């Protein structure tokens, strides 16, 4: 059933009826009652007789002519007192009758007209009214024709609306079927609406939403899979150490086993902390907006990692006029800290941290605004072009054996990217002139430049 049409149908019929009545009243007000015009044309013969034959008679012949008309026509002509005729009329008609005009009664098929205004026809003729009945008036046909006209207009409006609403209804049904199937778990279904359709923007949004939900669920499934996999290794090692602990020969061996188990527990703890950090960054309110000095934050992040650079050259090119930025200082520091820690881990000899800021762009809304660029690069093995997107996925590592040795879970870059995205920024990777990887972090300086940080306190 096409519900759109059945909802709109009574509304359109009502609108056309209201339009018909409004048109009638407007025309009556501006040009006089159209029905009266029609009735006057239909009664033109008797009116002609009255005005041109009876009225033109000399006073002594007036009654004779009146009787003659009575005899030859089917009209009924009666004389009634003016006082009797006036009360039955409305104000406008009463005035017209008093002025000596013809007053038509369409429903009664009759007319009223004063005999004369000066009493010249006979004694007291100024107080008498000629009531002519059985006039050949029939406005029924005109009313039927008018109704037919509005009916044709209504049909001409309703037919295209019915066709239009039917196509929309079918498209709505197919969209709701897609939503049903998606709800049942078939996450790959998509709406296929024609570009010309009015529902195309809606189906586009639905498809984008479905795409996002599918990829989010996929990412969650992969994450769960990776987490189980990552957790399994230290648990297996703890189980193994426990077995060995039972058979330990002396206190020294027991102590050594316990230390190994503590290491594994620390690893598990670290993994859980990193995971919590990553999932919290999925919430837009994970960040707290504040104004802070970027140069200071970069210096602090580097200082905190000083021990990691031992034995490696660490160069900084940080202009002091970098200025302030609006955002969550801890999250920005965490992102940069993760990049620096990686640089320190993978560099052979050198890590370089540099930063610059774009000239303030036009302040027009929607403009690019002012951006800050932070670069962390090293002379390590670099990152192959085909892995430059994947390294930001949780638990993705280029070389598992190498990274296991360096103690990474593969979550550092995922956390860094999420923290930067929360600020409306980006992290990309390129080749460094130093020979290794070059991480380019772009951050909008202010909230207006695209950061989506609400003024709420961070929970972590
Ligand atoms: P991890 O904690 O294992 O370092 P990350 O998410 O920080 O995890 O990095 C993901 C992977 O990206 C790393 O395992 C490593 O293979 C690669 N990677 C990250 N930074 C660098 C770098 N500076 N040079 C070379 N490879 C890197």
């Amino acid at each position: 059933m096409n519900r759109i049409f059945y909802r709109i149908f009574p509304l359109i019929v009502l609108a056309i009826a209201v339009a018909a009545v409004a048109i009638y009243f407007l025309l009556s007000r501006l040009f006089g009652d159209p029905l009266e015009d029609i009735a006057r044309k239909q009664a033109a013969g008797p009116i002609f007789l009255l005005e041109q034959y009876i009225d033109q008679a000399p006073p002594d012949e007036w009654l004779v002519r009146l009787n003659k008309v009575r005899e030859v026509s089917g009209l009924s002509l009666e004389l009634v007192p003016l006082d009797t005729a006036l009360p039955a009329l409305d104000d406008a008609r009463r005035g017209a009758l008093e002025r000596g005009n013809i007053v038509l009664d369409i429903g009664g098929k009759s007319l009223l007209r004063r005999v004369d205004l000066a009493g010249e026809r006979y004694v007291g003729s100024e107080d008498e009214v000629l009531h002519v009945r059985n006039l050949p008036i029939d406005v029924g046909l005109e009313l039927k024709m008018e109704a037919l006209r509005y009916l044709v207009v209504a049909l001409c409006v309703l037919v295209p609306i019915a066709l239009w609403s039917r196509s929309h209804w079918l498209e709505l049904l197919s969209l709701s079927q897609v939503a049903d199937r998606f709800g049942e778990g078939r996450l790959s279904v998509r709406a296929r609406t024609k570009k010309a359709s009015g529902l195309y923007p809606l189906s586009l949004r639905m498809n984008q939403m479905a795409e996002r939900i599918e990829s989010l669920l996929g990412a969650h499934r992969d994450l769960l899979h990776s987490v189980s996999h990552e957790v399994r290794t230290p648990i297996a090692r703890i189980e193994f150490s426990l077995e060995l602990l039972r058979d330990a020969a002396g206190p020294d061996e027991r102590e050594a086993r316990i230390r190994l188990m503590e290491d594994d527990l620390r690893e598990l703890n670290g993994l859980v902390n990193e995971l919590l950090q990553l999932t919290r960054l999925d919430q837009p309110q994970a960040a707290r907006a504040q104004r802070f000095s970027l140069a200071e934050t970069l210096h602090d992040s580097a200082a905190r990692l000083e021990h990691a650079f031992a034995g490696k050259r660490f160069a900084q090119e940080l202009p002091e006029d970098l200025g302030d930025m609006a955002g969550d200082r801890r999250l920005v520091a965490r992102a940069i800290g993760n990049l620096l820690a990686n640089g320190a881990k993978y560099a052979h000899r050198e890590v370089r941290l540099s930063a610059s800021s774009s000239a303030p762009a036009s302040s027009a809304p929607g403009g690019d605004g002012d951006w800050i660029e932070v670069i962390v690069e090293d002379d390590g093995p670099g990152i192959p072009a085909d892995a430059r997107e994947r390294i930001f996925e949780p638990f993705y590592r280029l070389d598992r054996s190498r990274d296991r040795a360096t103690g990474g879970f593969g979550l550092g870059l995922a956390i860094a990217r999420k923290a930067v995205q929360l600020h409306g920024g980006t992290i990309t990777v390129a080749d460094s002139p130093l020979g290794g990887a070059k991480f380019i972090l772009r951050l909008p300086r202010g909230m207006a430049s695209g950061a989506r940080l609400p003024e709420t306190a961070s929970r972590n």
Side-chain angles (χ1 to χ4, degrees):
M1 189 179 60
N2 180 352
R3 276 204 219 152
I4 304 179
F5 184 71
Y6 289 117
R7 291 254 164 92
I8 212 165
F9 175 81
L11 278 179
I12 287 176
V13 171
L14 190 73
I16 287 175
V18 169
V21 173
I23 288 170
Y24 175 75
F25 279 108
L26 197 69
L27 288 181
S28 304
R29 224 182 154 73
L30 293 175
F31 310 110
D33 188 346
L35 282 180
E36 183 152 332
D37 280 351
I38 294 163
R40 257 177 208 279
K41 276 182 199 138
Q42 291 174 341
I47 291 172
F48 182 83
L49 270 179
L50 181 66
E51 289 179 336
Q52 304 301 325
Y53 178 66
I54 302 174
D55 277 0
Q56 301 302 320
D60 54 340
E61 218 186 296
W62 188 84
L63 262 174
V64 179
R65 288 202 186 180
L66 183 69
N67 287 329
K68 200 167 270 173
V69 172
R70 267 188 186 131
E71 276 169 31
V72 298
S73 72
L75 299 171
S76 148
L77 295 136
E78 280 172 37
L79 290 167
V80 291
L82 182 60
D83 292 347
T84 322
L86 283 177
L89 302 174
D90 59 37
D91 286 349
R93 286 160 178 267
R94 199 179 303 140
L97 185 65
E98 279 175 341
R99 287 193 298 277
N101 295 335
I102 288 175
V103 171
L104 272 177
D105 171 11
I106 299 170
K109 299 187 178 187
S110 64
L111 66 80
L112 292 169
R113 164 93 184 286
R114 282 180 70 174
V115 175
D116 68 11
L117 301 179
E120 289 166 353
R121 304 247 147 89
Y122 53 85
V123 179
S125 65
E126 75 273 28
D127 291 329
E128 295 234 286
V129 171
L130 188 60
H131 187 200
V132 185
R133 286 185 296 150
N134 299 339
L135 290 171
I137 294 176
D138 182 8
V139 291
L141 183 68
E142 283 297 325
L143 285 176
K144 276 183 208 151
M145 280 165 60
E146 198 66 9
L148 195 69
R149 253 175 238 141
Y150 282 108
L151 197 72
V152 171
V153 169
L155 279 177
C156 291
V157 171
L158 284 170
V159 167
I161 287 179
L163 294 174
W164 172 86
S165 66
R166 192 181 132 75
S167 77
H168 267 64
W169 180 246
L170 292 178
E171 280 165 2
L172 267 178
L173 278 184
S174 100
L175 280 187
S176 78
Q177 278 163 8
V178 168
D180 285 347
R181 268 182 275 155
F182 193 81
E184 284 159 11
R186 294 170 62 185
L187 302 182
S188 58
V189 285
R190 295 291 180 270
R192 304 201 189 288
T193 312
K194 284 185 208 122
K195 260 197 172 152
S197 158
L199 294 178
Y200 181 70
L202 174 67
S203 77
L204 206 64
R205 299 288 179 292
M206 261 181 74
N207 285 348
Q208 283 167 351
M209 190 177 72
E211 204 83 50
R212 179 140 175 73
I213 292 174
E214 191 184 10
S215 82
L216 275 177
L217 286 177
H220 271 98
R221 197 185 45 234
D222 292 350
L223 188 67
L224 207 63
H225 186 262
S226 305
V227 170
S228 338
H229 187 74
E230 293 294 323
V231 166
R232 201 180 289 148
T233 319
I235 289 180
R237 281 205 305 259
I238 291 173
E239 278 175 351
F240 184 60
S241 296
L242 265 175
E243 283 295 315
L244 292 176
L245 190 64
R246 279 199 194 100
D247 310 330
D252 283 352
E253 196 186 338
R254 205 172 299 137
E255 192 58 36
R257 296 278 162 230
I258 290 175
R259 259 202 304 279
L260 281 177
M261 282 163 67
E262 279 171 353
D263 285 349
D264 286 329
L265 280 174
R266 250 193 302 281
E267 186 182 327
L268 269 177
N269 205 20
L271 172 64
V272 170
N273 283 341
E274 297 258 284
L275 268 173
L276 277 178
Q277 176 76 238
L278 185 73
T279 46
R280 274 181 197 149
L281 289 175
D282 278 332
Q283 300 153 7
Q285 67 270 31
R288 179 180 50 194
Q290 60 199 177
R291 200 153 271 289
F292 61 90
S293 158
L294 193 70
E296 218 176 280
T297 309
L298 293 173
H299 281 304
D300 287 356
S301 306
R304 223 171 286 137
L305 282 162
E306 221 167 304
H307 67 279
F309 298 115
K312 286 177 187 164
R313 202 145 60 85
F314 178 53
Q316 293 187 52
E317 286 168 27
L318 302 176
E320 282 311 318
D321 59 350
L322 263 183
D324 289 349
M325 76 163 273
D328 191 313
R329 186 182 198 275
R330 274 174 320 112
L331 290 184
V332 172
R334 175 86 207 242
I336 292 162
N338 285 1
L339 297 184
L340 283 173
N342 280 348
K345 253 196 278 182
Y346 298 107
H348 295 311
R349 270 177 307 277
E350 188 177 351
V351 183
R352 191 182 294 166
L353 168 68
S354 57
S356 60
S357 106
S358 71
S362 85
S363 56
D368 241 359
D370 190 4
W371 288 82
I372 296 159
E373 202 167 77
V374 179
I375 294 175
V376 179
E377 53 195 322
D378 59 66
D379 62 352
I383 293 160
D386 59 352
R388 286 181 184 167
E389 254 318 297
R390 295 213 65 194
I391 51 164
F392 291 99
E393 290 172 13
F395 297 111
Y396 184 81
R397 300 186 201 107
L398 284 178
D399 175 351
R400 288 187 168 256
S401 58
R402 187 182 71 193
D403 293 307
R404 194 34 91 187
T406 50
F409 296 116
L411 291 174
L413 288 180
I415 291 174
R417 177 170 265 188
K418 283 202 176 169
V420 168
Q421 279 174 342
L422 266 178
H423 289 76
T426 55
I427 302 188
T428 47
V429 194
D431 286 325
S432 164
L434 298 179
K438 175 179 179 180
F439 286 85
I440 305 149
L441 195 152
R442 281 190 98 222
L443 281 167
R445 188 189 287 282
M447 306 288 290
S449 310
R452 295 175 287 112
L453 297 179
E455 297 279 343
T456 49
S458 159
R459 286 185 285 113
N460 44 359

